[in-house]
Amino acid sequence: MSSQIQKRNRTALLGLFSRRREAWSGSTHAALLSREEFDEQLAIERARVERSGYVFSVIVFTLQCGGDSEEAARAEKALMAALVERTRLCDSKGWHGKHPAVILPYTSKAAAANLINPIDMLFRKHFVEEGHPIVPGPRLSFVIYGYPDERGVSGSSEVSPGPGNSQADG
């Protein structure tokens, strides 16, 4: 009896893992979770934290473009590529409302802030590789939320996210 249960569990896990791998291959759009999937992943992370006592962080990005929808689409594509390239496989990348975001399990807000500059550099690199000038180009701003401490730390890509340069939202 227990071998049948183990076999069913193994089959279910293989199915889950194979679907996840398919989502990661191919385009960067496929690598981002939908709004609903991202919200579900947030609920899973909250439950994990409540059970284990660990922390996680969420970085929510905002692209500030000059109003050109074509530039906004290119900037969004560059940000997605940077997120996929710079974050870990266990980090959930997706849409939090209308904003690209990433969930960083077992990561404090301070550790999450260390990702901002590398992501910004990759974002700019990918944007320029498409043949578009970075000046006056799009800018990234962000808010970092930590759970269980949900107060956000915000900033923009032009300001280092160090303690003297970030603001706490209440």
Side-chain angles (χ1 to χ4, degrees):
M1 185 72 154
S2 68
S3 66
Q4 289 177 347
I5 292 172
Q6 288 176 340
K7 185 177 179 181
R8 274 186 276 169
N9 287 344
R10 187 172 38 246
T11 302
L13 286 173
L14 287 173
L16 286 171
F17 290 143
S18 67
R19 277 186 272 162
R20 190 68 168 160
R21 273 190 236 126
E22 288 170 11
W24 287 97
S25 63
S27 75
T28 55
H29 276 289
L32 293 180
L33 300 173
S34 70
R35 289 172 180 91
E36 295 80 18
E37 292 169 325
F38 193 82
D39 288 344
E40 184 177 315
Q41 192 61 40
L42 274 173
I44 289 168
E45 288 303 325
R46 280 189 205 109
R48 185 176 293 145
V49 165
E50 289 166 6
R51 182 182 69 239
S52 68
Y54 289 102
V55 299
F56 75 91
S57 295
V58 178
I59 305 174
V60 179
F61 294 94
T62 301
L63 286 165
Q64 299 165 344
C65 297
D68 181 2
S69 63
E70 196 172 306
E71 180 185 65
R74 289 190 303 263
E76 189 176 277
K77 182 179 174 187
L79 176 57
M80 290 177 200
L83 289 175
V84 169
E85 186 175 333
R86 184 58 182 97
T87 58
R88 304 168 297 188
L89 187 58
C90 68
D91 299 333
S92 299
K93 294 148 278 285
W95 295 99
H96 184 65
K98 294 182 180 181
H99 301 280
V102 61
I103 300 170
L104 305 164
Y106 305 104
T107 307
S108 66
K109 285 192 289 190
N114 292 330
L115 278 176
I116 298 301
N117 287 334
I119 288 173
D120 184 52
M121 288 180 358
L122 284 170
F123 162 70
R124 292 173 187 276
K125 175 187 156 211
H126 288 297
F127 192 77
V128 170
E129 282 176 352
E130 293 286 321
H132 307 291
I134 198 64
V135 176
R139 293 181 322 146
L140 280 178
S141 60
F142 61 91
V143 179
I144 302 173
Y145 296 99
Y147 190 84
D149 175 21
E150 293 194 43
R151 290 176 294 163
V153 175
S154 62
S156 72
S157 60
E158 294 178 0
V159 177
S160 300
N165 295 328
S166 59
Q167 303 169 356
D169 295 339

